[in-house]
Amino acid sequence: MWHVVLMFLANVEIKQTPILNSSLSALFMFSQILCWREAFQITLRTSFVAVDNRDGKSYIDVFARMEDQTSETCVAGDFTAPGLKRLVITCMGLESHHTRLMWDGGFQIVLDEADRTIREYRGLDYSREPACHKCLATRDVRTAAVWSWSKVRATQRSDRGLLTCENNHKVDLRYLTGTTLPCHGHIAYQEQSSFSENVHYSQICPGVCLIGLWDGHRILRCGSGFIVDAKRGLIVTAAHVVIDPSGLAAPPNSFLRRKAHYYGLPSGQILVGLPPTGKGSNPNSPVGPEAVWRYVAMIDTEDVCNVDAAVLRIAARLDQDVDCPEKTTINNVRVLKSQEDFQNEALHPLKLSKRCEIEQNVRLIGYGQTTQTSIDRSIEVYRGYVSRKFMNSEWRGRTDRGYTPKYHYSVVTSLTLGGQSGCPCVNDQGEVIGILSQADRADKNKCFVVPTGEFLQLVFDARSWEEDATAGGGGEEDSTNTGT
């Protein structure tokens, strides 16, 4: 069957010209095709400009291999009749929008070409059987569950939105077909998402913040963060989102070091966006929660060099929620100082955990930015797992090397975008085990996460600062959200 693969590649080569996908407003190109006797790999690429003016690239890798039924790497080999072979076609890429970027970015084209090529061989019987991606991630691939294509289509027509495999994994149909469900099907899916095995992402989103550096006229930089202390209005984010790393050679607390705050903007401010609640929220929206700019914050404590983390303190609330600050004059604000003020805000803090294990499933929840012209206020969820826990070999405790956090988790996930810096990395229980620091330049499918234990002292320092400022005021003792 290897010559079937070669014929398929010949057909795909014709499509090496740029493919414009209007639904994604992105330009995908075939950047690499590798072929072996019974396998091939195709890499597709799209380029974009992140909100911080960095050039970025998104890659989609499609790999296919002809497997004998007896092969150790034959998917569902234990359930395949003797003598048969499987042409296994897989795709790896950005998981956002429930794998829509992979399907619309070229995976569907590859599958269509494979189907057309195989049909050209007379007398060759074949069937299409999607495999459970959760089985592939957690079990021996030979025991992975598969479905008949007719069952997948029947379930899709019923608008149920989910399929349950023989190993009791609930799988979203969009992972298997790439088709966006109707609105009512989407709502039903949200109530029993494949992410809901423990804590559903909708219970985490109210605590995930959109961070914007505001110069008085427009947002210059974007990042993500999360609420760590609701009674004091404290937010954790990546330090380089709001502090210029190039100014770190100056001594701590010096004028030059302070000038690096807010990237040296004389009238720089930090705007904080959160998903709307109450009357402003729309649970039936097919696009998911979108943040609105609500608060003004200031830098409280930070450690860029050793941790790449900063604790922000909410200082005031805007007179009304704002979608586009460029079109609004932000003048009238209500100052927030006491714990009573923040109690009325009903902020949603996320719990912390120092526990982290290799191969632990995690989610990165933040506000990825792909364009320079507008701010994307939609929350995106990226799934992955912890592949390594290590100390940064470049760390020297020096301020002239930029931000090189001492300890890291290496997380295997999809491509990280500008704007995700500082977003919480949460476990299945919804606890924050770290924050996203930066992408791995050597591997586009990995990123570095700063462990919770590294920035926890900054949170304690921010709390202590307030306690010192209000000493003797009879402040109420609160219980920490930190899990260990």
Side-chain angles (χ1 to χ4, degrees):
M1 289 288 292
W2 64 269
H3 54 286
V4 177
V5 179
L6 294 179
M7 175 174 283
F8 165 58
L9 286 176
N11 292 332
V12 174
E13 275 191 317
I14 302 175
K15 297 182 178 292
Q16 286 188 351
T17 54
I19 301 172
L20 182 62
N21 189 319
S22 58
S23 64
L24 293 176
S25 298
L27 190 66
F28 288 90
M29 298 183 65
F30 285 91
S31 62
Q32 179 177 256
I33 297 179
L34 301 176
C35 182
W36 298 271
R37 186 174 185 273
E38 293 187 345
F40 66 84
Q41 178 177 337
I42 300 176
T43 302
L44 301 99
R45 182 192 67 199
T46 183
S47 301
F48 60 87
V49 178
V51 70
D52 55 2
N53 295 325
R54 293 182 303 169
D55 292 331
K57 292 182 176 64
S58 173
Y59 290 88
I60 298 174
D61 292 320
V62 180
F63 182 78
R65 179 181 174 87
M66 190 67 68
E67 298 281 4
D68 290 323
Q69 183 271 336
T70 57
S71 171
E72 295 181 355
T73 56
C74 181
V75 176
D78 288 357
F79 314 118
T80 304
L84 296 184
K85 293 187 176 183
R86 284 190 181 274
L87 177 59
V88 181
I89 305 178
T90 61
C91 181
M92 179 175 64
L94 198 62
E95 190 187 20
S96 62
H97 302 291
H98 304 285
T99 70
R100 176 186 168 192
L101 291 180
M102 286 190 280
W103 285 89
D104 288 356
F107 189 38
Q108 185 65 61
I109 296 174
V110 174
L111 292 179
D112 290 344
E113 286 292 339
D115 185 70
R116 185 181 66 83
T117 302
I118 294 175
R119 284 201 310 268
E120 292 180 356
Y121 282 79
R122 297 179 181 178
L124 182 62
D125 294 330
Y126 76 100
S127 61
R128 183 174 178 179
E129 294 181 334
C132 173
H133 67 279
K134 295 186 178 181
C135 288
L136 296 176
T138 59
R139 303 173 62 89
D140 185 342
V141 295
R142 290 188 57 84
T143 63
V146 295
W147 296 276
S148 66
W149 189 241
S150 59
K151 182 175 182 179
V152 172
R153 284 302 190 188
T155 305
Q156 191 176 30
R157 286 191 293 269
S158 68
D159 286 342
R160 288 200 299 270
L162 291 174
L163 266 178
T164 303
C165 77
E166 297 174 353
N167 298 313
N168 203 32
H169 293 141
K170 291 180 172 58
V171 177
D172 179 5
L173 275 179
R174 286 171 285 189
Y175 282 68
L176 305 177
T177 64
T179 303
T180 303
L181 299 176
C183 184
H184 58 282
H186 176 68
I187 297 169
Y189 161 76
Q190 284 189 339
E191 297 175 353
Q192 49 180 339
S193 166
S194 59
F195 295 129
S196 65
E197 295 163 338
N198 289 282
V199 175
H200 192 271
Y201 89 99
S202 61
Q203 300 178 41
I204 304 173
C205 287
V208 181
C209 307
L210 175 61
I211 309 297
L213 185 59
W214 169 260
D215 69 349
H217 304 283
R218 61 192 181 96
I219 299 292
L220 299 182
R221 298 178 60 84
C222 266
S224 302
F226 71 96
I227 298 172
V228 69
D229 191 325
K231 291 186 177 182
R232 297 174 175 85
L234 301 182
I235 297 171
V236 174
T237 186
H240 70 268
V241 172
V242 293
I243 301 174
D244 185 1
S246 63
L248 300 182
N253 298 322
S254 66
F255 171 76
L256 294 178
R257 183 67 172 268
R258 286 292 179 181
K259 188 177 180 181
H261 288 195
Y262 311 98
Y263 278 77
L265 296 174
S267 57
Q269 292 180 310
I270 299 173
L271 298 186
V272 178
L274 286 171
T277 56
K279 295 181 180 180
S281 62
N282 181 12
N284 297 329
S285 172
V287 298
E290 285 191 326
V292 291
W293 301 105
R294 181 174 299 166
Y295 299 105
V296 179
M298 64 180 185
I299 300 173
D300 196 306
T301 57
E302 51 90 354
D303 188 344
V304 189
C305 304
N306 304 317
V307 184
D308 187 25
V311 176
L312 311 179
R313 183 181 296 272
I314 295 176
R317 173 165 183 161
L318 306 180
D319 59 346
Q320 61 181 358
D321 291 343
V322 176
D323 293 337
C324 183
E326 289 83 354
K327 299 179 181 179
T328 304
T329 301
I330 300 178
N331 291 324
N332 299 326
V333 297
R334 177 166 56 88
V335 176
L336 303 176
K337 288 185 177 181
S338 66
Q339 293 188 11
E340 289 75 14
D341 293 337
F342 288 107
Q343 186 175 0
N344 296 330
E345 296 300 313
L347 299 175
H348 182 84
L350 301 185
K351 294 182 179 180
L352 306 180
S353 176
K354 294 182 182 178
R355 296 178 180 174
C356 177
E357 302 295 336
I358 302 296
E359 293 189 340
Q360 177 179 344
N361 292 329
V362 294
R363 286 167 285 176
L364 295 171
I365 305 179
Y367 297 86
Q369 308 293 324
T370 58
T371 65
Q372 185 182 1
T373 57
S374 62
I375 304 298
D376 190 344
R377 297 179 289 110
S378 299
I379 283 184
E380 288 190 314
V381 181
Y382 302 84
R383 300 197 73 180
Y385 65 90
V386 178
S387 63
R388 188 162 59 126
K389 301 162 65 176
F390 66 102
M391 176 177 175
N392 195 333
S393 60
E394 296 183 359
W395 184 81
R396 300 291 184 274
R398 293 165 49 187
T399 60
D400 58 349
R401 296 178 62 89
Y403 61 98
T404 54
K406 183 175 181 181
Y407 293 102
H408 270 139
Y409 296 149
S410 180
V411 174
V412 177
T413 183
S414 303
L415 175 71
T416 53
L417 305 176
Q420 287 181 281
S421 295
C423 77
C425 179
V426 302
N427 57 22
D428 286 339
Q429 290 71 45
E431 301 167 331
V432 178
I433 67 166
I435 59 171
L436 177 62
S437 174
Q438 53 191 306
D440 187 345
R441 297 181 180 179
D443 189 340
K444 61 181 180 296
N445 296 311
K446 291 183 180 180
C447 60
F448 296 126
V449 170
V450 177
T452 295
E454 291 299 292
F455 62 76
L456 202 52
Q457 185 60 47
L458 296 176
V459 178
F460 292 153
D461 290 344
R463 289 173 174 173
S464 300
W465 178 87
E466 183 189 40
E467 291 171 359
D468 292 341
T470 58
E476 178 182 352
E477 182 68 23
D478 72 302
S479 59
T480 178
N481 289 317
T482 304
T484 56

